[in-house]
Amino acid sequence: KYAFAVYKGLIREVYEIHKWRRAPARRSEAKVQTRWRFSGSVAYSMANYIGGSVENYTKRGNQSPVLYVNC
């Protein structure tokens, strides 16, 4: 329902997801799993999360750019 944009452990923006779709594959990703993207809008009602830390949700050394919480 929502996506949090995070940079250096802090929430920078919150988006309301309207629709998911496949992202076009790049040449260098020919054998990589399908990537997804969403279209949506800024969730102004969730602005209270901006500036919050995600430190308690991540593990040191985790290299994945995606983290699902309460899915």
Side-chain angles (χ1 to χ4, degrees):
K1 190 170 180 177
Y2 296 99
F4 288 63
V6 177
Y7 179 70
K8 293 191 175 185
L10 295 178
I11 299 168
R12 304 300 181 168
E13 191 62 82
V14 182
Y15 299 94
E16 182 176 7
I17 299 170
H18 299 297
K19 186 175 181 178
W20 284 98
R21 55 179 79 127
R22 288 180 190 261
R26 293 182 250 166
R27 285 185 175 177
S28 61
E29 298 176 343
K31 295 183 180 182
V32 178
Q33 293 179 349
T34 302
R35 292 181 178 257
W36 292 86
R37 64 181 178 187
F38 68 88
S39 59
S41 58
V42 174
Y44 294 106
S45 62
M46 303 286 281
N48 57 308
Y49 287 98
I50 295 175
S53 173
V54 296
E55 181 181 340
N56 293 329
Y57 293 100
T58 60
K59 293 181 182 176
R60 187 168 181 84
N62 185 8
Q63 296 181 9
S64 175
V66 178
L67 176 67
Y68 298 97
V69 179
N70 294 331
C71 295

